[in-house]
Amino acid sequence: MWLSTSHPEHGPHQVPLWFLWDGRAVWMCTGAASPTARNVRAEPRVRLALPDAFDVVLLQGEAECFPDQEVPRRRRGRSPTGSAGIRAGEDSFLYLRVVPGTVRAWHGEPELRGRVVMRDGNWLE
């Protein structure tokens, strides 16, 4: 999943991260000293995107930060490559939890009205 963050002094930042959907929130992991972690601490509003240009899903919400030792084991995941999504040599990890406030989705169409499927954390019909 692509995570987009922004920092008042450093500007926008976008990075692909492994993710785990627990039925209510998206969980991701990054290095505690990474630009992603720095940005989320300064500005928790984020946007997530699945990496498919045909079946587009965009999620928007606020990221909560959890140190590695505070994350339940069942929330920890592995990427499809088997790694934990952390670069070798990083000592501390930061888990990010995003409960979507807005979800936009469309299938094979350019930007059209009516693609909001969640607003203010409530699924729309």
Side-chain angles (χ1 to χ4, degrees), residues 28-48:
M28 296 160 286
C29 186
T30 189
S34 70
T36 300
R38 174 199 64 209
N39 289 359
V40 166
R41 286 182 182 115
E43 171 54 78
R45 293 177 298 174
V46 299
R47 179 166 282 175
L48 306 170

Side-chain angles (χ1 to χ4, degrees), residues 14-56:
Q14 191 173 42
V15 63
L17 296 175
W18 71 267
F19 72 97
L20 172 73
W21 172 253
D22 70 5
R24 177 160 160 66
V26 176
W27 288 82
M28 296 160 286
C29 186
T30 189
S34 70
T36 300
R38 174 199 64 209
N39 289 359
V40 166
R41 286 182 182 115
E43 171 54 78
R45 293 177 298 174
V46 299
R47 179 166 282 175
L48 306 170
L50 293 174
D52 187 328
F54 190 75
D55 289 320
V56 177

Side-chain angles (χ1 to χ4, degrees), residues 74-125:
R74 68 179 184 273
R75 295 291 184 254
R76 297 177 190 189
R78 294 253 177 229
S79 73
T81 62
S83 72
I86 304 298
R87 292 185 298 271
E90 289 196 54
D91 294 330
S92 60
F93 311 130
L94 184 71
Y95 282 78
L96 305 174
R97 177 180 180 260
V98 178
V99 176
T102 302
V103 176
R104 291 177 176 84
W106 57 94
H107 178 73
E109 296 290 335
E111 294 184 36
L112 297 174
R113 292 179 184 243
R115 298 301 177 200
V116 176
V117 295
M118 178 188 278
R119 181 171 285 122
D120 298 324
N122 297 308
W123 292 104
L124 306 176
E125 294 188 33

